[in-house]
Amino acid sequence: MKIYLANLLIACFQVMLASSSYSSFTINHLQGLSNSAVLSILQDNQGLMWFGTYDGLNCYDGRTIDVFRTDFSKGRTLDNNIISRIQIASDDKLWVQSYSGVNLFSTDSLSVIDNYVFPDEEVIVFSNRKGDSWILLESGICIIIIHIIVAL
């Protein structure tokens, strides 16, 4: 009986492993990644992969990589190219944290729509599914942003 149960468990485990399909691939500078030092990775609601590096924000769609860097010739831009953290703000927006502050990035227009600069201060951002966000500063200040709605 014990041998039968052990064989049954092994067979079930093998079926589970066989049905799980994993694939691996490499993303590096040859595919267009802006820097090999990746500090943050996020998959958004549309399935796009976002990478924060020491040289900008990278978006991978499964074939190509688009790189977004600080460009002060634009009206709004990333406040810094060192991207330490990326997280979902709402369905079509990301919080992109750098070493200078926090940027609100639209995944629809693929552009920065707002900046919150906090030099020399540690920042943590929290968001809920409704789009409400809280920016907590090391100094104890809390900035609350309710329902992120931005018309472009």
Side-chain angles (χ1 to χ4, degrees):
M1 182 71 169
K2 290 181 182 179
I3 294 175
Y4 174 75
L5 287 175
N7 286 335
L8 181 62
L9 286 174
I10 291 172
C12 289
F13 185 69
Q14 289 175 338
V15 168
M16 282 184 355
L17 287 178
S19 66
S20 303
S21 62
Y22 294 99
S23 62
S24 67
F25 55 92
T26 302
I27 298 175
N28 59 29
H29 69 282
L30 297 175
Q31 287 78 31
L33 192 66
S34 65
N35 191 286
S36 61
V38 175
L39 304 174
S40 182
I41 302 173
L42 172 85
Q43 184 172 19
D44 70 12
N45 299 332
Q46 300 163 1
L48 299 173
M49 295 296 298
W50 295 87
F51 301 91
T53 72
Y54 275 104
D55 189 28
L57 177 66
N58 297 254
C59 178
Y60 179 64
D61 66 3
R63 289 173 295 198
T64 60
I65 295 178
D66 292 319
V67 179
F68 304 93
R69 293 185 177 99
T70 301
D71 181 359
F72 292 112
S73 67
K74 294 182 179 179
R76 294 218 186 258
T77 185
L78 292 171
D79 62 355
N80 190 303
N81 282 331
I82 302 173
I83 307 302
S84 59
R85 190 168 181 204
I86 309 164
Q87 65 189 77
I88 295 173
S90 63
D91 287 340
D92 60 346
K93 293 173 187 62
L94 302 175
W95 285 115
V96 179
Q97 289 183 242
S98 74
Y99 285 104
S100 299
V102 182
N103 305 274
L104 186 58
F105 188 90
S106 169
T107 57
D108 288 339
S109 66
L110 297 176
S111 63
V112 174
I113 53 178
D114 213 347
N115 304 93
Y116 302 87
V117 179
F118 307 106
D120 304 321
E121 184 139 31
E122 186 71 26
V123 177
I124 299 173
V125 180
F126 297 99
S127 294
N128 64 18
R129 293 177 190 233
K130 295 189 302 185
D132 301 332
S133 295
W134 296 263
I135 300 175
L136 305 175
L137 307 180
E138 186 177 32
S139 63
I141 298 172
C142 177
I143 299 166
I144 301 172
I145 302 166
I146 306 295
H147 300 296
I148 300 169
I149 300 171
V150 179
L152 299 177

